[in-house]
Amino acid sequence: MNAFLPYLKYLRPYRFHFWMAMLAGVVFAVSSGFSLPMMADKVFPRLFGDGQQMDGLTVAVVAMGIPLVFAIRAISGFFNVYLINYCGVRILESIRASFFSKILEVEPGYFTKSRTGDLVSRMSADTALVQLTLTEAANDLIRQPLTLLAAVSFLIYKSASDQQFAFIFLCLLVVPASVFPVRALGKRLFRKAKQQQVEQGDVSNLMTEAVSGAREIRIFRAEASFLERFQRKVADLLHSQMRVIKYFHMLSPSIEVISSAGVSLAFVVAYIQGITLETFMPLLFALYMSYEPIKKIGVLSSRFHRGKAALERLEEITGYPISILEPGADRAISLDRARGEIEFTDVSFAYGEEPTLEGVSFRIQPGEKVAVVGPSGAGKSTLIQLIPRFYDPASGSVRIDGNDVRDLSFEDLRRNIAIVLQEPVLFAGTFEDNIRLGKPEATAEQVEEAARKAHIHDFIVSLPMGYKTEAGERGTQLSGGQRQRIALARAFLKEAPILIMDEATSALDSESEEKIQLALSSLFEHVTGIMIAHRFSSIRFVDRILVLDKGRLVASGTHAELMESCSLYRKLYLNQAGTDDAGYEARSAV
Ligand SMILES: Nc1ncnc2c1ncn2[C@@H]1O[C@H](COP(=O)(O)OP(=O)(O)O)[C@@H](O)[C@H]1O
Ligand SMILES: [Mg+2]
């Protein structure tokens, strides 16, 4: 239960609802725990008591007392549950929102450590469980303890007037005894519930893999092994689910047995003490009214255990410390439009133990076009991701126009950078929407111009719906090249002074050599450009080439200079020469 306390702060805007719910809860509790036994105490003796005759009207009025108390109890009970549920749902809304904004806020590198299915399962299954806990618990959270309190007050009140101490003492003895099964089962329930939710995440992961890896699974004939893994995971999940159901439903009966023992004890004591039926009836009422809450509080606590397990999983995400932070408003240097100078000074970076970048230093002049080449795994993609701060260097600094990127607000920093990644993601929406992501306020003409530059305009207008064509989930209706071109158009539309491409020019490969050169030099016009070379043929227009090997910058210069001085560059170039059109030039140059 304590796990939920921090979330009470979300109640602030709804405190009126909350206090009204509390008030209704108090009315409910008093009418059930105190008034009902009280009615029994006052009404029954008059109806069955000393045999004295009453006229019909008096009987009716006296008898009406019972439905009246029930009516008050019903109405206050309704408002209590309704209002408290409202508060519960509002709290959940805040939990969902903080989960989602965390997903939007966290550094992109976080997602390589976590699995999509698991995150989706947390967002859906775990929040659903928290919701269930909050709403179910809301029904009983206030009124049961208060009803218990009211019933106990009645018992004490009776004991003060009737001196039936032993009787009442025994009735109350059951209260602490009932706590044992609650505690014992609660702990198990919590463990199993947590396990169940982890397994739910595993199942979701397998599901997302089956969807995203549909082609791989088919071509490698992995259907059977996937199915088997799925069945195993589902069986594990069912197993834990049944455990949860078992502990959950053992609780109520255990408490019932304990409290029925209490009741039978009460009977015996009542018999020995020679208590009359009129005295016994209201006490039995009060007893029933106090055991009922004990049982419900027991169930409530087990629900909280289950909900807490879900909440903890959500908190692992919402409480994840973001390591890449914006500078405070007081520290931030403002940068409206960058000239586009980029400088790395002795930059080192590691994902884990092994360094991925070591002592990398270079400077790119505003408007300069630079290519980065190197063997696969050299650290090229890592290098460019330090510029928009997808990662921060472990040591050294990255500067734009002389400002450390860590001193710029995300807005100022990222507004100045456009990136095209190797596998760009398109979002649900039309082609136009997807391109417009680069500049939401762009006119239709600007969108079209960007699409022309990216050589995708002709394709788009050839479709019946043109720019209004739905791109499909993750752009699945498009070829890889078409997706890249949309992403290129998106990047141009942004008109940022720094344009970065990570092996993103395969989109242009189907064009003739000359056209690629033309296209690229028009794309990189007026900007500082960094491109990770996909093909050597696509980097002829650049001013300078950086050669990266095992996280170190090993050489820098023009193509001709590097062919002369850098053996790694020569090797990379000649390797590709055999398979690429660049080879003609290479062979003739040798
Ligand atoms: N998210 C990551 N977590 C851990 N290691 C990574 C991650 N991304 C890349 N690496 C590792 O860092 C090294 C450089 O990767 P990368 O920058 O992608 O190289 P390149 O783009 O030159 O092929 C590789 O050894 C790769 O395995
Ligand atoms: Mg790469």
Side-chain angles (χ1 to χ4, degrees), residues 28-239:
F28 176 89
V30 171
S31 57
S32 338
F34 200 85
S35 302
L36 282 181
M38 198 67 180
M39 285 302 296
D41 195 28
K42 298 287 174 240
V43 174
F44 291 175
R46 290 190 67 176
L47 294 180
F48 307 108
D50 23 27
Q52 115 199 37
Q53 282 297 41
M54 289 185 292
D55 61 83
L57 189 66
T58 314
V59 173
V61 167
V62 170
M64 275 301 288
I66 291 177
L68 184 71
V69 171
F70 268 100
I72 293 173
R73 183 174 178 268
I75 293 167
S76 58
F78 170 80
F79 279 105
N80 171 249
V81 168
Y82 182 83
L83 291 171
I84 207 87
N85 267 290
Y86 176 83
C87 296
V89 171
R90 285 297 194 168
I91 290 185
L92 187 80
E93 189 187 6
S94 312
I95 295 177
R96 281 223 165 99
S98 70
F99 187 89
F100 194 68
S101 45
K102 192 65 163 212
I103 295 289
L104 294 177
E105 203 185 343
V106 74
E107 59 271 10
Y110 176 76
F111 298 111
T112 52
K113 284 180 265 170
S114 54
R115 300 166 305 166
T116 322
D118 183 59
L119 287 174
V120 170
S121 150
R122 286 178 201 231
M123 182 71 177
S124 51
D126 289 309
T127 48
L129 209 52
V130 171
Q131 168 160 30
L132 198 68
T133 305
L134 286 177
T135 51
E136 277 186 339
N139 298 342
D140 292 327
L141 186 57
I142 292 163
R143 53 200 229 170
Q144 298 306 345
L146 287 179
T147 304
L148 177 63
L149 196 69
V152 169
S153 311
F154 178 82
L155 288 172
I156 291 169
Y157 156 81
K158 274 311 270 185
S159 79
S161 48
D162 286 354
Q163 262 113 55
Q164 305 288 355
F165 286 123
F167 179 74
I168 286 147
F169 178 73
L170 280 169
C171 300
L172 293 178
L173 206 61
V174 182
V175 179
S178 304
V179 174
F180 290 117
V182 173
R183 292 194 68 91
L185 290 172
K187 276 209 188 89
R188 281 169 198 224
L189 191 74
F190 174 70
R191 269 205 311 274
K192 290 296 160 193
K194 190 121 194 208
Q195 192 183 333
Q196 176 194 329
Q197 281 136 242
V198 170
E199 283 161 2
Q200 180 76 56
D202 288 347
V203 168
S204 305
N205 277 325
L206 218 51
M207 206 81 112
T208 46
E209 283 187 355
V211 172
S212 59
R215 289 175 182 78
E216 284 82 353
I217 289 172
R218 281 159 190 71
I219 198 68
F220 292 108
R221 309 295 301 134
E223 293 94 337
S225 86
F226 261 80
L227 188 62
E228 195 205 302
R229 269 166 64 197
F230 186 75
Q231 280 165 339
R232 216 171 36 232
K233 294 272 181 212
V234 168
D236 287 349
L237 178 61
L238 287 182
H239 189 71

Side-chain angles (χ1 to χ4, degrees), residues 255-314:
I255 296 175
E256 266 167 22
V257 170
I258 292 176
S259 52
S260 70
V263 171
S264 96
L265 205 61
F267 274 126
V268 173
V269 177
Y271 175 77
I272 293 170
Q273 296 201 332
I275 294 170
T276 60
L277 186 65
E278 293 100 84
T279 322
F280 188 67
M281 276 307 285
L283 287 175
L284 198 63
F285 243 102
L287 212 53
Y288 174 76
M289 284 296 170
S290 57
Y291 285 157
E292 192 60 18
I294 293 172
K295 197 174 98 185
K296 293 229 170 107
I297 291 168
V299 174
L300 188 68
S301 117
S302 62
R303 281 188 184 136
F304 268 115
H305 280 302
R306 211 171 49 169
K308 189 177 149 214
L311 195 63
E312 278 189 12
R313 277 166 51 83
L314 290 176

